[in-house]
Amino acid sequence: MESSADQRVRRLQASGERGLLRGSRKGLEKESLRVTPQGHIAATPHPRGLGSALCHPEITTDYSEALLEFVTPAFKDGTEALERLRDLHQYTYGQIGDELLWATSMPCIVGGDQSIPIAEYGESNIGWMKHIYRRGLDWRYGRAMQAIAGIHFNYSFSEAFLRAVQHREGDTRAFAEFRSDFYFRLIRNFQRYGWLVPYLMGASPAICKSFTGGQNLDFETFSENTFYAPYGTSLRMSDIGYKNNAQAGLDISYNDLASYVSSLRAAIRTPDPEYARIGTQVNGEWRQLNTNTLQIENEYYSFVRPKAAAMEGEQPTCALHRAGVEYVEIRALDLNPFDPIGISEEQIVFLETLLLFCLLEDSPPIDAAEQKHINANQGLVAREGRDPNLTLYQSNGERVPIREWADQLFTQMAGPAELLDEIHDDARYQAVLTRYHTMVRDADQTPSARMLEEMRARHEEFVHFGLRVSGQHAETMRHAPMSEATQTRLAREAAQSLDAQAELEAKPAPTFEAYLADYFRQEPTDGS
């Protein structure tokens, strides 16, 4: 039986308009820990040669001073995003001496919370807010979880494509309203089917025992200093990582824009008794921005986020309410340790195919029962995804073998892959779909299985594996040619960002308390 996604593909193809997806845009955000040659988190401050972490448009930090984050613009061609990410790696290696960029999502040797320095952003109100927010994360969750790294894939469909779909659907709403509704259709389906990403691309089946302080949280022992999950795919996305139990009670709705905004805003405005005990300011020292369930929207860890470009100082939910959903941020990706920049073109091609399928497939609202099953599936795949006997919950609550369901999804993605192949007038999307389908039948080909196999064959601890591949990637980046124009551009951006921070800090400003009160006083308003 033809899926609803296939039916929509056929209608679009019948229109005679080809290549409507050509204007779709892809961007990447990639985190990497700076580590010493011995595999410890770097204690050095953010290198001045990389500019201001607060003001640089492409090189910043995430939670820790040692956790770099590279941000590319959005490009129509995914290879351009990869090339920009490669440039950022090469430039960075020229600024960090003998330090390495850690090649895996789970961190290196963790010498307790104090070995993970919280990121600093200077003395401006916005810089101070970013730092205090991170202090709050420390008090709420501890620093080890915040040292986990990943890649976010930002994607927007071309306006021409979305308008063509709207026309074929006979939808007469304003375009912005239709676009938001359609993106939420994608988001709900990505919640349902996104477990394919950690299964196919997860690369964190093992951790250094130092990550848990030696505590065995239902793992098996791989070697003296390494815990692992024998069938694990992405411990980063498991209960010890970003799908942690601390946020399990949050009820964030993905059924439409209004429900999402209101449920997320409720979480940032609802006091939490546990966080109240921590306090906001204690003995004159800030511990967190507030004592609510979430300090700000970004504290909510999710597989996928609806996004809109925010104006300066604008809360993300206010930006969404004003502009509608402009793109989606896919957050389910581990770093790929087998690629020098942590992600490959093949991965981007597959993600585009999956996202198009999620957009075009019928997507009924998610109720509480289904959300519970979605959460369970994500946890099961993270910890046990390669178990050939694993079963997952479908929308009706019935359990189905993971391979059977994956086979079905790959069949349903064939039409979307065909539509995407019109962009380049070749069959690259269908070829990548076929390649990834082989991993369903042979889990030994997945990155998580390959990683464990290499560790066994070389008798390596997790940290030794990480050091080896990080060192190899460092050599690759340090010896790769870089154009003088690119080097000059990035050096200029770094210098300009330092000037921008200095200028910001020199401006007259309200007190931090007044700035914070004004920020949280915002209310969503409709765009003009």
Side-chain angles (χ1 to χ4, degrees), residues 436-452:
Y436 274 101
H437 199 173
T438 63
M439 295 187 199
V440 173
R441 300 187 176 95
D442 183 8
D444 288 344
Q445 295 186 38
T446 60
S448 55
R450 289 171 57 201
M451 179 175 163
L452 290 176

Side-chain angles (χ1 to χ4, degrees), residues 8 44 157 171 212 216 218 226 268 278-279 294 310 319 321 482:
R8 289 186 171 95
T44 51
F157 291 92
D171 193 309
T212 64
N216 189 341
D218 197 26
T226 301
I268 64 174
I278 295 170
L294 300 175
H321 188 271
M482 186 179 197

